[in-house]
Amino acid sequence: GESVGLHLPTLSVQEGDNSIINCAYSNSASDYFIWYKQESGKGPQFIIDIRSNMDKRQGQRVTVLLNKTVKHLSLQIAATQPGDSAVYFCAETPNNYGQNFVFGPGTRLSVLP
Amino acid sequence: NAGVTQTPKFRVLKTGQSMTLLCAQDMNHEYMYWYRQDPGMGLRLIHYSVGEGTTAKGEVPDGYNVSRLKKQNFLLGLESAAPSQTSVYFCASSYSGRIQETQYFGPGTRLLVL
């Protein structure tokens, strides 16, 4: 399997419970944030994004919360399912260009039956 | 519609050998990117391209070269591989360079340099 994520923090949740995955960012000028999901052996997949002028954004079973005061981003997954098992990481950028994203190392989510 | 594909999926090289990683996309995207992903670290941008015939350096370009002769293909070359280049390499593409344009990633190439 992939060697990615050997040293990643792990979050284990029971199937059906809600999951909260956290991300701290360092650049107070960051203006745009994305959460990605990366399943084993696959490339990252866009989940949801949020601009710095928002505190909260909801998608299908996912919610992203942004706290600019403490430079903290969280991803909430409702009713976690086995298919949610993956590495989740955030990305931030201070400007409008896709080549300037800074990616976090991620958190491994394991869903227990 | 295959999206973003990468060739090969896995490769073992000896120090000093060269190789080329191929990325292809069928979405008519202008922007293409090469990232590397190392254990415990986030993705880091190696090189990117804003269109056919153009390339630019990213955060960690040393030891790599790229070419974008055709819009749909983005090649990453290692002229003289080093153990520090052992990593998983991901290619991505997006319609434009605007941050709101989703970057679509390929499945990755796992490279081991001995």
Side-chain angles (χ1 to χ4, degrees):
Chain A
E2 294 290 345
S3 63
V4 169
L6 279 178
H7 309 292
L8 295 178
T10 298
L11 174 67
S12 296
V13 299
Q14 291 292 141
E15 182 178 353
D17 287 351
N18 296 335
S19 303
I20 299 176
I21 300 169
N22 298 305
C23 176
Y25 64 94
S26 57
N27 190 348
S28 57
S30 286
D31 181 55
Y32 180 72
F33 305 84
I34 298 177
W35 277 102
Y36 284 95
K37 173 185 181 182
Q38 186 174 16
E39 297 176 88
S40 182
K42 296 185 179 180
Q45 181 182 11
F46 173 95
I47 302 174
I48 191 167
D49 60 355
I50 189 168
R51 277 274 196 190
S52 62
N53 60 357
M54 302 172 69
D55 296 324
K56 178 180 180 179
R57 192 168 187 211
Q58 289 185 292
Q60 186 177 12
R61 277 203 308 121
V62 295
T63 301
V64 55
L65 298 178
L66 175 63
N67 185 330
K68 295 179 289 293
T69 302
V70 295
K71 292 184 285 189
H72 183 268
L73 195 67
S74 69
L75 176 71
Q76 300 179 0
I77 304 174
T80 311
Q81 303 169 359
D84 295 327
S85 292
V87 173
Y88 292 82
F89 58 88
C90 64
E92 57 173 299
T93 181
N95 55 42
N96 287 319
Y97 300 102
Q99 62 268 27
N100 294 131
F101 277 105
V102 175
F103 295 83
T107 296
R108 182 179 300 282
L109 175 65
S110 294
V111 181
L112 307 174
Chain B
N1 191 334
V4 180
T5 58
Q6 292 182 233
T7 310
K9 288 184 170 53
F10 177 69
R11 184 78 182 267
V12 179
L13 288 180
K14 294 181 179 179
T15 296
Q17 287 185 318
S18 64
M19 78 164 294
T20 299
L21 282 68
L22 171 63
C23 175
Q25 53 93 4
D26 61 2
M27 296 175 283
N28 201 34
H29 284 171
E30 289 293 335
Y31 278 61
M32 296 186 75
Y33 311 82
W34 274 109
Y35 295 93
R36 60 177 290 171
Q37 189 175 43
D38 299 297
M41 299 181 69
L43 290 168
R44 290 184 292 169
L45 183 64
I46 304 171
H47 286 281
Y48 65 99
S49 168
V50 303
E52 180 179 317
T54 74
T55 63
K57 294 180 180 180
E59 179 187 355
V60 290
D62 294 342
Y64 305 95
N65 57 75
V66 287
S67 64
R68 183 101 181 266
L69 299 179
K70 293 183 178 181
K71 185 177 183 178
Q72 62 268 33
N73 295 337
F74 195 28
L75 278 63
L76 177 70
L78 286 73
E79 290 187 348
S80 180
S84 61
Q85 293 179 304
T86 293
S87 188
V88 181
Y89 292 87
F90 288 99
C91 175
S93 71
S94 61
Y95 180 73
S96 75
R98 295 177 67 232
I99 54 176
Q100 297 91 339
E101 294 290 344
T102 301
Q103 291 189 25
Y104 294 88
F105 286 83
T109 293
R110 189 176 180 194
L111 177 65
L112 175 62
V113 183
L114 302 175

